[in-house]
Amino acid sequence: MTLAWVSPTVEAPVVSSAPFVARIELNGPIGPAAAEYVQGAIRRASDDGAKAIVLQLDTPGGLIESMRGIVAAILAAKVPVLGYVAPAGARAASAGTYILYACPLAAMAPATHLGAATPVDLGGGTPMPSPLGHAAPASGSTNRPAPSVVPAGDAEANKVLNDAIATIRSLAQMHGRNAAWAEESVRGAATLTASEAAAQHVIDFVAADPQALLAQADGRVVRVNDATVTLAVRDLPIRDYPPNWRARFLGVITNPTIAYVLLLAGVYGLIIEAFHPGSFFPGVTGGICLLIGLYALQLLPVSYAGLILMALGVALLMAEAFMPTAGVLGIGGVIAFVLGSIMLFRTDVPGYTVNLGVIAGIACCAVVILGLLLRLVMRARRARAFNGNEQMLQSTGELLDAIAAGGQGWARFGGERWRVQCEAALPAGAPVRVVSRHGLLLQVAAMRMGQGESS
């Protein structure tokens, strides 16, 4: 579904006694946002008194559960829903084919197509036909196509396939359409153009535009809620029902790439807050992004193996920062993170993949950060110690005041004032060196002639 941000407006119920036809445009992948939009728009159009609803389709398919929700809304609608694949170049593929079959009246614009409704097994393999395939039956044929070859013993794949076939055949039989080709679109991923679909009685007719659709639909008898209705829609005005703000918001965050970026922004925001407590902005922003990202993930077809790999990758990169291992943990973290990102969404579902460019960009940033981290670690290992007992024992300075034998006083070492003790009496300004350290007290001795300063 194509969703665009617009300035928010308050939607007031439309009260009009003039008859009209509602139009709902379902563009793009079918997901939770699309299902909620269509279901809500059908209810609003029915309550507003629409004579019919034109469901305009242009979709590559999408999630099975979302498709079933749309089909249920069409079958329960109080007014006829006219499925219309448009404009020219549009398609009703995969889940879109089921939705078109569910409509009491189905039409297509020229240069459109439908089909390829084979269900995708979200857990792995997809049942597909034998390489030879099967030809679509002729119009009016009652012969069912020969069964396809499904891997023996794959019970889950058979159940998914048979359930999908039963669903689309029942929809075809409900509206008197070609059930044999409906089965072939599922079993053999068959497709048809608009003219072929009309010839094989898969759709009712071909219409060039919405007004032509209403003109050809006028006077036809369709089935709505177990009752027959005669359509009287010729020349009626068409009123659009665009998605509301909630549908637009869901459409944005359930875009796999957006959900992926929100998830990463949330994780890294909380990490930055942990390293810099009290900065608040990264933590608050990260928490909000993480919650929105997790909400989007629970609506999407997520692979939990990919999610775990991403979490492992982030953990290994953090471990490299605390326990430098010459890049072993860091490189492993980058590999786990990239593999998890690729596996995060089940990519066989149309329209639900993360942009590989985004993954590559984030992976490159991780490699650059890892390289900088390793460079800093190597520099730190080669650097001279700046504090500690070992460094202090190499320091020399001068007394700031005179010290009696066995007494204490103050001395300056490298610009710092330290409390010192000396066994011998020394005058102020005498050069001394550190012999030992006892907490904040330095034991010093006078420097012999010829000893240079090392501090």
Side-chain angles (χ1 to χ4, degrees), residues 140-438:
S141 171
T142 58
N143 295 326
R144 296 177 61 179
S148 343
V149 177
V150 178
D154 193 347
E156 185 63 29
N158 276 283
K159 286 195 292 185
V160 172
L161 179 65
N162 292 331
D163 179 72
I165 291 172
T167 298
I168 201 165
R169 284 185 64 86
S170 65
L171 294 174
Q173 292 166 0
M174 173 182 291
H175 300 302
R177 301 204 186 102
N178 191 333
W181 185 88
E183 178 172 344
E184 181 61 15
S185 71
V186 176
R187 191 181 295 277
T191 59
L192 290 175
T193 64
S195 57
E196 292 169 345
Q200 297 192 30
H201 197 46
V202 173
I203 62 173
D204 295 286
F205 52 81
V206 177
D209 54 55
Q211 291 301 332
L213 168 70
L214 298 184
Q216 294 186 64
D218 190 69
R220 289 179 178 260
V221 177
V222 296
R223 181 177 178 179
V224 179
N225 279 333
D226 295 328
T228 57
V229 175
T230 301
L231 295 174
V233 293
R234 182 185 294 273
D235 298 329
L236 289 183
I238 296 176
R239 181 184 300 168
D240 288 318
Y241 279 74
N244 57 20
W245 69 268
R246 174 181 168 83
R248 291 191 182 95
F249 178 71
L250 288 178
V252 171
I253 67 170
T254 53
N255 180 300
T257 300
I258 299 297
Y260 175 75
V261 172
L262 283 172
L263 187 65
L264 292 186
V267 171
Y268 285 111
L270 294 180
I271 291 175
I272 293 172
E273 180 68 29
F275 279 106
H276 302 278
S279 52
F280 298 113
F281 179 76
V284 172
T285 305
I288 294 173
C289 290
L290 184 62
L291 290 176
I292 296 176
L294 291 174
Y295 176 74
L297 289 184
Q298 64 98 19
L299 297 175
L300 294 171
V302 175
S303 168
Y304 291 101
L307 196 60
I308 293 172
L309 273 174
M310 285 181 61
L312 176 62
V314 173
L316 290 176
L317 287 171
M318 292 184 63
E320 180 68 40
F322 288 102
M323 300 179 295
T325 58
V328 175
L329 290 178
I331 294 173
V334 172
I335 294 173
F337 181 82
V338 172
L339 292 178
S341 299
I342 295 173
M343 296 168 54
L344 182 59
F345 294 103
R346 294 156 181 174
T347 55
D348 287 334
V349 180
Y352 285 91
T353 58
V354 178
N355 188 302
L356 291 180
V358 174
I359 296 177
I362 293 176
C364 289
C365 290
V367 170
V368 170
I369 293 173
L370 177 62
L372 292 175
L373 180 63
L374 292 177
R375 185 170 181 270
L376 292 175
V377 169
M378 298 306 296
R379 286 182 59 186
R381 289 182 176 180
R382 292 194 299 266
R384 182 170 61 90
F386 288 98
N387 51 33
N389 290 337
E390 182 179 346
Q391 177 65 17
M392 269 298 184
L393 294 179
Q394 302 174 13
S395 299
T396 60
E398 65 177 14
L399 291 177
L400 298 178
D401 48 22
I403 298 180
Q408 296 183 0
W410 293 93
R412 186 185 304 278
F413 296 92
E416 297 177 349
R417 297 178 74 251
W418 284 82
R419 189 77 174 171
V420 297
Q421 183 179 27
C422 186
E423 296 298 332
L426 295 174
V432 294
R433 61 183 178 85
V434 178
V435 176
S436 63
R437 176 182 174 182
H438 307 283

Side-chain angles (χ1 to χ4, degrees), residues 73-154:
I74 292 172
L75 298 180
K78 301 175 183 178
V79 297
V81 178
L82 316 182
Y84 183 43
V85 184
R91 56 178 169 165
S94 191
T97 303
Y98 294 82
I99 294 173
L100 191 63
Y101 261 92
C103 295
L105 186 142
M108 298 173 68
T112 58
H113 65 276
L114 82 164
T118 303
V120 174
D121 181 1
L122 294 182
T126 300
M128 291 296 292
S130 64
L132 296 177
H134 305 289
S139 177
S141 171
T142 58
N143 295 326
R144 296 177 61 179
S148 343
V149 177
V150 178
D154 193 347

